[in-house]
Amino acid sequence: GMGGGFPGAFDGGFGSGCGGGFDDGFSGKGGGGGKAGGSLKAPPSSGPREEDTIEVDDRDIGRIIGRGGMNIRDLRDGTGCRIITPDRKEDGAENALRIVTLQGTKEQIKRCKEAISGVLMGDEPTDVLAEIDGAVLMKNIDGMSMGHLAKLKDKFEEEHKVTVDLDARSARIWAKDGNRENALKAKEAIEEAMEDITTVDTFTVAVPPHLVNQVINDSTLRQLQDQTGLTANVSKTDEGTGIRLTGLAGAIEEAKKIIERRNQGEGAAFLPLMPGMLNKMSPAMRAEFQRDLSFLMQNSGAQIDIGQAANQADFQGGPDEVAYAKGEMMKILHHYFPQECEVIELPPESVDWIAGEDDRELMRLQSAGAVAALDRRSASMWICGNARSVEMTRKRIQNSMARWDREHFFMQCESKHQCFAVIGTGGSTIRELQSSTGARIDVDANQCTIMIS
């Protein structure tokens, strides 16, 4: 009962990597669009077309182009300029200033120069262009705060006469009358409203001793840690065992709910979404999605809560029911939003490697335009955001998986005796193998597995 595909509300175009010089190939016909309403379209192409140049350090050319040409396309779309970068320098050549050519009207070129300056400072093109148009930015918003902001968005827009544009981890605020002071006041009001959930706190949740290891390693709790920076540690005192939580107050409240449900033998999970994504649906498509959602709850036995403006879907029920419902929901959302939602299945043995030490690699996958959530139980990566950021994140994960395949080999042994044979007496055999090959060998005799890396 999933019917026809959702007609994508976003532009999913994404360029391939560039070899030498990059010419965006844009004709320079900028579109219209009001700034106060939140548009990042190029200014109208009135007036004669001109050509101008800027000097950029060779090391910064890549920043202008971006991964797969994403930055240069955003700059082109937001300014109306054609941007031509120089050929890549030859191997061994010294770094020097290079010439970047801009073609467009006088106004378009001026706007493009300002935007490139911001990109070279490390900002996202869309954020730079928004600031040029008078928007006030809020960056690096955690998942809990974004969920709270998504619920209050309409209220703030009405009370402060602003337009609030939410991305996966950032927000842009425009004053409807063009007065930036009103946007700044709205930002202050938003920050004040979110203080209660952004305060850092510590809380210990009691957990029965026989469940503490299972709960501390729960995939949903680990996912919450990945998304919010929350830390969870086993605590043993005279009063009993528990899990000590440290982080944002909002994240602690979510973690408490997860732990308490696990204590009761129930399951709990969440799926991060791009704020307002469901609002892109037509009424007919929305009704069809609701039918699919009702069918999934009936078929799985899990309760699913997903608000139209929410930035996550919440699942409750038995552990197996919740895991099944979450997996099916990812497929349904990908069906309706094929460019904004992506699921990548991972080899189970590669999960920790993909996440990186202390989840550093996973944190690097997060961007202003998309969120990446790792489900360790199902060995899958969920990506949700604007089409271009999703595509960029997907390619980075695929590159990591290709590197994993090149650098790792997994073996499933038939018995523990085979594992012990590789280890040898006192570890002599495994030391000899590692010394002679330069490879690392990890043997798990309990699981009868061997990993070579």
Side-chain angles (χ1 to χ4, degrees):
M2 294 202 298
F6 172 69
F10 302 94
D11 173 18
F14 189 83
S16 58
C18 52
F22 195 103
D23 181 351
D24 61 26
F26 183 59
S27 65
K29 295 181 180 178
K35 295 177 183 178
S39 171
L40 295 180
K41 292 182 179 179
S45 56
S46 58
R49 290 184 60 76
E50 302 177 5
E51 181 173 295
D52 202 350
T53 59
I54 57 174
E55 292 184 335
V56 178
D57 191 287
D58 186 78
R59 291 168 295 187
D60 290 332
I61 294 295
R63 287 191 179 184
I64 295 177
I65 297 172
R67 287 183 178 270
M70 189 172 77
N71 283 359
I72 201 169
R73 284 178 172 78
D74 284 343
L75 289 167
R76 175 203 69 189
D77 294 343
T79 67
C81 265
R82 182 175 185 177
I83 306 169
I84 306 172
T85 61
D87 292 339
R88 185 176 295 171
K89 69 181 180 66
E90 297 179 1
D91 293 340
E94 294 184 1
N95 288 322
L97 292 176
R98 313 293 295 280
I99 300 299
V100 175
T101 303
L102 309 177
Q103 297 176 348
T105 65
K106 186 175 182 179
E107 182 182 353
Q108 289 171 341
I109 290 175
K110 178 184 177 182
R111 179 178 171 87
C112 192
K113 285 182 176 181
E114 289 184 58
I116 288 176
S117 296
V119 169
L120 294 180
M121 294 293 291
D123 291 329
E124 294 286 332
T126 48
D127 287 342
V128 176
L129 290 164
E131 283 192 297
I132 292 174
D133 287 342
V136 173
L137 302 184
M138 298 180 68
K139 302 180 182 179
N140 301 317
I141 304 176
D142 67 276
M144 296 298 105
S145 299
M146 183 60 78
H148 190 57
L149 177 54
K151 295 175 183 177
L152 298 176
K153 176 178 177 291
D154 292 343
K155 175 186 174 184
F156 283 119
E157 288 183 329
E158 182 178 352
E159 289 182 356
H160 296 275
K161 301 297 185 287
V162 296
T163 297
V164 182
D165 179 24
L166 301 182
D167 222 328
R169 296 173 63 85
S170 64
R172 308 178 188 99
I173 308 169
W174 282 270
K176 292 182 178 179
D177 61 0
N179 187 346
R180 197 167 187 271
E181 288 299 318
N182 291 337
L184 287 169
K185 291 178 181 178
K187 178 184 177 183
E188 292 175 2
I190 290 172
E191 290 174 338
E192 183 178 346
M194 294 195 299
E195 277 184 2
D196 290 342
I197 62 173
T198 56
T199 303
V200 176
D201 201 357
T202 298
F203 188 85
T204 300
V205 185
V207 179
H210 69 284
L211 288 178
V212 70
N213 287 333
Q214 179 183 346
V215 174
I216 195 71
N217 291 307
D218 179 75
S219 61
T220 303
L221 183 59
R222 292 286 300 276
Q223 182 183 328
L224 183 63
Q225 292 176 255
D226 296 337
Q227 302 298 128
T228 65
L230 177 81
T231 61
N233 299 286
V234 175
S235 172
K236 295 182 179 180
T237 65
D238 294 339
E239 298 176 359
T241 60
I243 294 179
R244 183 179 177 85
L245 305 169
T246 302
L248 300 176
I252 288 178
E253 285 300 314
E254 289 292 320
K256 285 168 58 179
K257 295 176 185 177
I258 293 170
I259 294 171
E260 288 166 357
R261 287 193 164 275
R262 297 298 289 155
N263 284 346
Q264 298 168 8
E266 297 182 3
F270 69 94
L271 196 62
L273 306 174
M274 185 169 68
M277 184 176 71
L278 300 183
N279 290 332
K280 306 293 183 180
M281 287 181 162
S282 65
M285 193 62 68
R286 176 71 181 180
E288 189 170 348
F289 174 75
Q290 289 287 6
R291 288 194 295 270
D292 288 339
L293 185 61
S294 298
F295 179 79
L296 176 59
M297 286 192 285
Q298 180 182 356
N299 192 41
S300 67
Q303 177 64 36
I304 305 172
D305 181 18
I306 175 170
Q308 192 160 346
N311 74 326
Q312 71 179 44
D314 293 299
F315 304 83
Q316 297 179 14
D320 293 337
E321 288 82 355
V322 163
Y324 173 78
K326 181 181 177 182
E328 292 301 303
M329 176 57 76
M330 289 191 289
K331 296 176 185 177
I332 291 173
L333 287 171
H334 176 67
H335 169 79
Y336 284 97
F337 299 92
Q339 294 177 332
E340 291 79 33
C341 299
E342 184 72 65
V343 186
I344 300 177
E345 303 296 335
L346 306 173
E349 59 273 9
S350 73
V351 167
D352 289 335
W353 189 85
I354 295 292
E357 186 176 356
D358 295 328
D359 293 340
R360 289 174 188 167
E361 293 300 321
L362 185 59
M363 292 177 186
R364 290 191 184 102
L365 290 174
Q366 312 300 330
S367 70
V371 60
L374 177 62
D375 189 324
R376 289 171 171 82
R377 174 174 175 172
S378 64
S380 63
M381 186 77 76
W382 166 255
I383 314 169
C384 186
N386 66 62
R388 292 185 177 181
S389 296
V390 167
E391 177 69 7
M392 180 182 71
T393 305
R394 182 181 66 81
K395 288 191 174 184
R396 293 181 66 181
I397 295 171
Q398 288 177 335
N399 289 338
S400 294
M401 291 174 65
R403 197 164 68 248
W404 159 268
D405 289 336
R406 290 194 303 269
E407 299 176 6
H408 295 79
F409 184 75
F410 179 77
M411 300 174 63
Q412 182 71 52
C413 298
E414 296 179 0
S415 67
K416 291 184 178 181
H417 296 294
Q418 291 180 329
C419 293
F420 294 143
V422 173
I423 296 172
T425 305
S428 59
T429 303
I430 196 170
R431 282 197 300 271
E432 172 68 22
L433 288 168
Q434 293 184 128
S435 176
S436 62
T437 64
R440 173 176 173 172
I441 304 174
D442 294 296
V443 179
D444 187 336
N446 291 325
Q447 300 294 326
C448 293
T449 61
I450 298 175
M451 177 65 73
I452 304 172
S453 57

